[in-house]
Amino acid sequence: MSQKPQHDLSACPGCAEPLDTGDRFCGACGFDLSAVPASAPDRPTVAIGTPVSWPDAPAREPGSLSTVTQHPGDLPGTDSGGRDLPTTEASEGADVPAARPARDLPTIPVRTDGPHTAATSGGALAALAAETAGTVGAVDPAGAPEAPVSPGSDGDFTLAAPDPRTAPPAPAPPAGTKLCVACRAGHVDPDGYCENCGHAQPRERDHMEQELSAVAAVSDRGLRHHRNEDAFTVSATALPDGSPATLAIVCDGVSSATRPDEASAAAASAAGQSLLAALPRGTHPQQAMHEAIVAAAEAVNSLAEEPGQGGMEHDPHRHQNAPACTIVGAVVADGLLIVGWVGDSRAYWVPDDRTSPPARLTQDDSWAAQMVAAGLMNEAEAYADERAHAITGWLGADAYELEPHTAAFKPDRPGVVVVCTDGLWNYAEAAEDMARVVPTDAAGRLLHGAQVLVGHALDGGGHDNVTVALLPFALSPQGAGSA
């Protein structure tokens, strides 16, 4: 049985009723769809790579500045109706020339200081072309000729460089205006984009560095995150007896919480201010560290508070995703090394004598650490698990319970304290690994050492924000104590 070809209509020609493929009659008006003529087949498309025979371009005289142009009768062809295009201008009975000569546009002088005022008509252009045959030069408004522009050995023309003595001075940018880091010319608008080239400017927290005489820190956004959610505070003060005290606080915003960058910044600032207030009063450094962590927690908690009264009544879940961060800090004072932390940011001890063993000074508040502490997994198994970095302690309004950890050490040899987020220790987890990547001269070049450690994390992949602070520990004059 033969079959009629199926129609390719989407709607009935008679009543515009939608049709299905295979319908022979319209279900609404009964129109015979087989009576509709089949559409013409598509013409084949010529591939882009198909060779095309182009006519040779007319020869150009060497050294000529003219622009050779083609016109509709210069080349054989057909019009849209398929008729041959005329190729001559001869009238009926005249000899037919072989081809129309190529037309040249008149040559005008090359200018570097604006358009030529005399070149306003066709006659003026022709006159200028005749006047400037051979060597082309320009005349400035005062009438003094500029350096001539002549073709080189390769046929290219070299323009005379503008005279810097006559160039108008660049306008000075308004006071306080930030220039673009890309073009160094445009001003940066309030949204952080260059008004000249449109380049997005790096944010202030994308990369931060600070160096004091006895402490330095570096923080970087990393290679995978769209913003830096780490923060740090480094400072120095004096104890009541006049002896120096150095401190470093490093915080890591919890990405799954809201406004983690604000949480880390608030915590670092509050903890630093608390230490700077407590240490000169004579508060024991370990107690001062505990109070600093509590102050940091209160600062992060305040980010979740809503203005006005009775916020909890109309929104009982307002702390469900409150801003949160981890914290780790170190204080070097009076021959003591004090560390404090909540979360999984860490502190390491790296002695200057690399034959002595390094040590990790903090214990993570994390799922992996709990598994190891409970004896359910060894450290390698726990940190290989996908749940390893799930933290069990943090600063924030929705934290289960604030449990600041503090510890005091009295090293018997000089060394460097490394205070960092997991953006670094993920690439140097064991104390021995950290000691290998800390430069041997880190105690004398603190900022360089911190830069090297951040670079190590970036070279390893930079999967997270990375922040590190370095504090040197020098022995007190008596040098007594045990590690």
Short mmCIF file of all heavy atoms in Angstrom, two decimals, residues 2 45 219 262 303 337 341 350 360 366 369-371 419 422 437 440:
data_model
loop_
_atom_site.label_atom_id
_atom_site.label_comp_id
_atom_site.label_asym_id
_atom_site.label_seq_id
_atom_site.Cartn_x
_atom_site.Cartn_y
_atom_site.Cartn_z
N SER A 2 0.64 2.09 -0.91
CA SER A 2 1.41 3.33 -0.94
C SER A 2 0.81 4.34 0.04
O SER A 2 -0.38 4.30 0.32
CB SER A 2 1.42 3.91 -2.35
OG SER A 2 0.10 4.24 -2.74
N THR A 45 23.45 24.22 1.26
CA THR A 45 24.28 25.31 1.76
C THR A 45 25.72 25.06 1.37
O THR A 45 26.23 23.95 1.57
CB THR A 45 24.17 25.42 3.28
OG1 THR A 45 22.80 25.64 3.61
CG2 THR A 45 25.03 26.55 3.83
N SER A 219 47.22 37.58 53.75
CA SER A 219 45.95 36.90 53.47
C SER A 219 45.66 37.05 51.99
O SER A 219 45.86 38.13 51.41
CB SER A 219 44.82 37.51 54.31
OG SER A 219 43.59 36.85 54.05
N GLU A 262 32.14 39.23 56.94
CA GLU A 262 31.90 40.16 58.03
C GLU A 262 32.17 39.51 59.38
O GLU A 262 32.68 40.16 60.30
CB GLU A 262 30.47 40.68 57.97
CG GLU A 262 30.13 41.49 56.72
CD GLU A 262 28.71 42.00 56.75
OE1 GLU A 262 28.17 42.20 57.85
OE2 GLU A 262 28.13 42.18 55.66
N LEU A 303 26.24 40.37 64.94
CA LEU A 303 25.90 40.49 63.53
C LEU A 303 24.55 39.86 63.21
O LEU A 303 23.91 40.21 62.22
CB LEU A 303 26.98 39.84 62.66
CG LEU A 303 28.37 40.47 62.72
CD1 LEU A 303 29.35 39.68 61.86
CD2 LEU A 303 28.32 41.93 62.26
N LEU A 337 54.58 31.44 75.31
CA LEU A 337 53.87 31.34 74.03
C LEU A 337 52.46 30.87 74.35
O LEU A 337 52.26 29.74 74.80
CB LEU A 337 54.58 30.36 73.09
CG LEU A 337 53.81 29.94 71.83
CD1 LEU A 337 53.41 31.14 70.99
CD2 LEU A 337 54.63 28.96 71.01
N TRP A 341 42.06 29.06 70.54
CA TRP A 341 41.36 28.76 69.28
C TRP A 341 39.96 28.22 69.52
O TRP A 341 39.64 27.70 70.60
CB TRP A 341 42.16 27.75 68.45
CG TRP A 341 42.13 26.33 68.97
CD1 TRP A 341 41.31 25.32 68.57
CD2 TRP A 341 42.95 25.80 70.02
NE1 TRP A 341 41.57 24.17 69.29
CE2 TRP A 341 42.57 24.44 70.18
CE3 TRP A 341 43.95 26.31 70.85
CZ2 TRP A 341 43.18 23.60 71.13
CZ3 TRP A 341 44.56 25.48 71.79
CH2 TRP A 341 44.15 24.14 71.91
N VAL A 350 57.64 25.99 64.90
CA VAL A 350 58.73 25.55 64.03
C VAL A 350 60.02 26.13 64.61
O VAL A 350 60.25 27.35 64.53
CB VAL A 350 58.54 26.04 62.59
CG1 VAL A 350 59.72 25.60 61.71
CG2 VAL A 350 57.23 25.50 62.01
N ARG A 360 52.48 20.78 66.38
CA ARG A 360 51.20 21.45 66.19
C ARG A 360 50.65 21.79 67.56
O ARG A 360 50.55 20.92 68.43
CB ARG A 360 50.24 20.54 65.43
CG ARG A 360 49.05 21.28 64.87
CD ARG A 360 48.17 20.35 64.04
NE ARG A 360 47.05 19.85 64.83
CZ ARG A 360 46.30 18.82 64.49
NH1 ARG A 360 46.59 18.13 63.40
NH2 ARG A 360 45.29 18.45 65.23
N SER A 366 36.65 19.54 64.97
CA SER A 366 36.16 19.02 63.70
C SER A 366 35.73 17.58 63.86
O SER A 366 36.06 16.90 64.84
CB SER A 366 37.24 19.13 62.61
OG SER A 366 38.30 18.23 62.87
N ALA A 369 38.77 15.21 63.98
CA ALA A 369 39.46 15.19 65.27
C ALA A 369 38.67 14.40 66.31
O ALA A 369 39.25 13.70 67.15
CB ALA A 369 39.69 16.62 65.75
N GLN A 370 37.35 14.52 66.27
CA GLN A 370 36.54 13.75 67.22
C GLN A 370 36.66 12.25 66.96
O GLN A 370 36.70 11.46 67.91
CB GLN A 370 35.08 14.20 67.12
CG GLN A 370 34.79 15.53 67.79
CD GLN A 370 33.30 15.79 67.92
OE1 GLN A 370 32.47 15.12 67.31
NE2 GLN A 370 32.95 16.77 68.74
N MET A 371 36.69 11.85 65.69
CA MET A 371 36.83 10.43 65.38
C MET A 371 38.17 9.89 65.88
O MET A 371 38.25 8.78 66.41
CB MET A 371 36.72 10.22 63.87
CG MET A 371 35.34 10.51 63.29
SD MET A 371 34.02 9.46 63.96
CE MET A 371 33.24 10.62 65.11
N VAL A 419 50.58 30.85 62.56
CA VAL A 419 49.15 30.93 62.86
C VAL A 419 48.43 31.01 61.52
O VAL A 419 48.66 31.94 60.75
CB VAL A 419 48.83 32.15 63.74
CG1 VAL A 419 47.36 32.16 64.13
CG2 VAL A 419 49.72 32.17 64.97
N ASP A 422 42.86 26.89 57.41
CA ASP A 422 43.03 25.62 56.72
C ASP A 422 43.38 25.81 55.25
O ASP A 422 43.77 24.85 54.58
CB ASP A 422 41.78 24.74 56.86
CG ASP A 422 40.53 25.40 56.29
OD1 ASP A 422 40.55 26.62 56.03
OD2 ASP A 422 39.53 24.69 56.10
N VAL A 437 58.14 23.77 54.67
CA VAL A 437 57.80 24.87 53.77
C VAL A 437 58.06 26.24 54.39
O VAL A 437 58.07 27.24 53.68
CB VAL A 437 56.33 24.78 53.32
CG1 VAL A 437 56.10 23.48 52.54
CG2 VAL A 437 55.37 24.87 54.49
N THR A 440 63.92 28.96 56.12
CA THR A 440 64.84 28.88 57.26
C THR A 440 65.15 30.25 57.85
O THR A 440 65.53 30.34 59.02
CB THR A 440 66.14 28.19 56.82
OG1 THR A 440 66.69 28.92 55.70
CG2 THR A 440 65.88 26.76 56.40
#
